[in-house]
Amino acid sequence: MKIQLTNILFGMAALLAVSACDIGDNKDVNPADSFLRIYDSHQFDHAISPVDVTETSENGYLLLGNYRRDDTDFLGTYIASTDEEGQFIRNTYMRDNNVHPVGEFLVLGGQHYFVSMDAVSLQAYLNQVDDSARVVSTIGIGATYPMFAQNDGADQFVLLSYNPVNRTTVLSIHGLDGATIGTPREFGIGAGQDVEEPIIDHFTRTGRELPFFAGKTAGGTYYANGFYNYTLSLLFTDLSSDSPSGVIQGQQDEGGISGLLPLNGDNFALSRFNYGDQYASGLTTLSTTGTTSASDIDSHAMLEWETDGKVKMTTITLNESDYIIIATTTKNQQIVLHFYDNTGAYVGVDYLGFSSPYQLGAIQVTSDNGLAILGSIQVAGKFQRICLFKKSEKQLLELVE
C-alpha cells in the first residue's frame, strides 16, 4: 500500500510541476520560485492536517501539522522540514504527551518556536525547533488549553488559551523562557455545560475547528477571538483589567469573526460567518470600544467559500504597491487567494489545486517576496497529506496588474 501511494504522489507532483511552467522558458526558471510539493507519510493511514509554515534560515521551510493518534483524544504533533525548493528533508512525529500544536510559528531570539499542549495535564508547552524539524527544548507555560500564539515583538508572544476551572478565555504575554509577563486577563465564557462544549469539541476535533486567534494592532491594542458571555466574540483590551474595552459579538458558536488582519488605525481586513454564510472585506473600520455585532459589519458575501474553512490573511508589497491577501478553501475544495489593494478594492483572484480535494492551512510571505501556501490534499480520495505551494513574486504581480 505504501508503494502504491508513493507512486500516486510522485505521478501527481511530476504532472503538476510540468504543467506549472512554460517549457520555452525553462532555462530561466529557478525551481525555488514556484512549485507544488506533496509530502508522503511512513504510515499510509495517517491523516495529516496543516497548521502553519515558516521559512528557515537557509530559505527552506518548516511545516507544522497534526495527526490523529489512537492513544489520546487530542491530535498529535507533526513537524517537517524542506529545502528552498520544497524538497523533503526530514520529519518528526511526536509520540509523547506533546499534542495539539497551534499556530503561529514564533520567532524568539532568532529561533523558531511553537506552542502545544500536554495530553494529560493540559498545560501549554513552548517548543523550540531547529531547521531540521527536531525539537530542541520543551518548557511549560503557565496556561492550559492553548488556542493560538503570535509574536509580540522579538522576544515575547501573546497567547490565547482556555481556563476550564475558572471557565474563562485567557489572554497572556510570555517571554522566550515561557514565563508570564504582567497579569493574564481572563474573560468569562458564561455558565452552563453547553457553553464549554464547542471549546472542548474544538480541542478533540469531535466538533468544528473554531477560529481562535489573537494579536495586537499597530496602535498597541490587543485583540482576541474567543468565547465571552456565551458567544464567540472578538475582544479588544489594553490588558489593564478583566473587562474588555470593546466587544464584537457573534452568534453563540454559529456566527462571528473568522479572520482578522490589522491594517492602520481602526482599519482591518476581515472575514466573518453567520449560520453557514461567509463574508469578507478587504478594508473595514471597526469600533474597538463598546459592544457591537459581527452581523452588522459591512462585508461581501463569499458564496463559493467552504463552510467552517480556515481563513488566513497577510499583506504584501508588489511593485511598490500594498496588497491584502485573504485565503481560504472553496466549496469545490480548491484553495483560493483573493487580492485587494490598500483601499480595499478587489483586484484579483487565484485558485490552487485541481483534480483532488485541497484545503488551506496557512500562508506566509517569503524572503524573496513570494508566497508560501501550506495546505492538505486528499490523495486518491482517501489519504490526507500536507502540501506546499510556492508562488513567485512575478506570478503574484500578474494577478494584480
Side-chain angles (χ1 to χ4, degrees):
M1 179 64 73
K2 174 166 174 53
I3 294 175
Q4 183 180 24
L5 176 57
T6 302
N7 289 340
I8 293 171
L9 290 171
F10 177 81
M12 289 185 63
L15 175 61
L16 290 166
V18 170
S19 63
C21 59
D22 184 344
I23 294 176
D25 295 332
N26 274 350
K27 62 181 180 180
D28 300 321
V29 172
N30 181 348
D33 287 346
S34 177
F35 57 77
L36 165 59
R37 305 295 183 199
I38 302 169
Y39 303 100
D40 197 3
S41 169
H42 68 277
Q43 295 288 335
F44 79 91
D45 58 345
H46 274 168
I48 306 172
S49 297
V51 175
D52 200 22
V53 58
T54 192
E55 267 190 289
T56 67
S57 58
E58 307 231 336
N59 302 120
Y61 300 92
L62 279 175
L63 316 178
L64 183 63
N66 57 46
Y67 68 101
R68 177 62 68 186
R69 288 172 47 171
D70 56 12
D71 57 347
T72 176
D73 290 335
F74 304 106
L75 299 180
T77 299
Y78 171 89
I79 317 153
S81 61
T82 80
D83 65 15
E84 65 177 349
E85 297 177 11
Q87 299 285 1
F88 176 83
I89 296 176
R90 69 177 304 276
N91 60 23
T92 298
Y93 289 85
M94 300 189 73
R95 292 296 304 176
D96 54 12
N97 287 333
N98 197 320
V99 299
H100 190 72
V102 300
E104 300 176 344
F105 269 116
L106 307 169
V107 180
L108 304 171
Q111 304 298 317
H112 287 108
Y113 293 79
F114 68 91
V115 171
S116 60
M117 183 179 77
D118 187 282
V120 178
S121 70
L122 309 178
Q123 179 189 28
Y125 284 141
L126 179 64
N127 306 275
Q128 182 184 346
V129 58
D130 65 18
D131 286 354
S132 297
R134 293 181 174 90
V135 175
V136 176
S137 65
T138 296
I139 56 178
I141 307 174
T144 55
Y145 280 121
M147 296 170 167
F148 189 84
Q150 187 177 88
N151 264 96
D152 182 18
D155 297 311
Q156 65 185 44
F157 63 97
V158 57
L159 176 68
L160 181 65
S161 61
Y162 175 63
N163 184 331
V165 177
N166 297 340
R167 299 174 66 83
T168 52
T169 292
V170 183
L171 195 62
S172 54
I173 308 299
H174 300 265
L176 58 83
D177 60 354
T180 304
I181 300 172
T183 303
R185 293 305 172 188
E186 303 195 25
F187 310 102
I189 69 167
Q193 184 70 26
D194 291 345
V195 184
E196 186 181 56
E197 184 176 359
I199 299 174
I200 303 304
D201 289 348
H202 164 90
F203 278 89
T204 60
R205 292 297 190 269
T206 54
R208 288 180 297 151
E209 183 177 1
L210 295 170
F212 297 126
F213 58 81
K216 187 168 70 172
T217 68
T221 300
Y222 288 91
Y223 59 86
N225 205 51
F227 277 85
Y228 174 67
N229 279 353
Y230 301 96
T231 191
L232 182 66
S233 300
L234 178 62
L235 311 177
F236 295 96
T237 176
D238 60 6
L239 298 181
S240 63
S241 75
D242 291 337
S243 296
S245 56
V247 180
I248 299 179
Q249 294 179 326
Q251 301 286 339
Q252 290 79 48
D253 63 333
E254 297 292 344
I257 306 298
S258 55
L260 188 75
L261 180 67
L263 298 174
N264 50 46
D266 290 337
N267 294 324
F268 300 81
L270 64 77
S271 60
R272 65 180 182 89
F273 67 105
N274 190 54
Y275 290 95
D277 295 327
Q278 313 296 314
Y279 303 85
S281 173
L283 178 65
T284 191
T285 301
L286 298 179
S287 173
T288 59
T289 60
T291 300
T292 55
S293 173
S295 60
D296 292 335
I297 296 173
D298 186 24
S299 49
H300 302 285
M302 308 302 282
L303 302 180
E304 67 177 349
W305 284 17
E306 177 186 52
T307 301
D308 301 327
K310 285 184 179 180
V311 182
K312 299 296 180 178
M313 305 180 187
T314 192
T315 57
I316 191 169
T317 300
L318 300 169
N319 200 18
E320 300 184 353
S321 295
D322 296 329
Y323 295 93
I324 299 151
I325 303 174
I326 300 180
T328 189
T329 304
T330 66
K331 290 177 180 176
N332 65 349
Q333 300 296 281
Q334 289 179 293
I335 295 172
V336 60
L337 308 174
H338 299 282
F339 294 80
Y340 301 80
D341 67 17
N342 59 8
T343 70
Y346 194 78
V347 295
V349 65
D350 191 24
Y351 296 90
L352 307 179
F354 63 92
S355 179
S356 296
Y358 287 80
Q359 289 193 321
L360 175 73
I363 59 176
Q364 174 74 46
V365 176
T366 57
S367 58
D368 61 357
N369 209 42
L371 192 68
I373 305 103
L374 182 68
S376 64
I377 176 177
Q378 292 285 343
V379 180
K382 62 181 73 172
F383 303 106
Q384 182 168 311
R385 298 293 183 259
I386 59 173
C387 61
L388 182 65
F389 292 87
K390 171 68 192 308
K391 304 286 287 188
S392 69
E393 181 179 24
K394 179 182 178 182
Q395 289 173 315
L396 298 177
L397 268 170
E398 290 171 350
L399 293 168
V400 300
E401 288 184 337

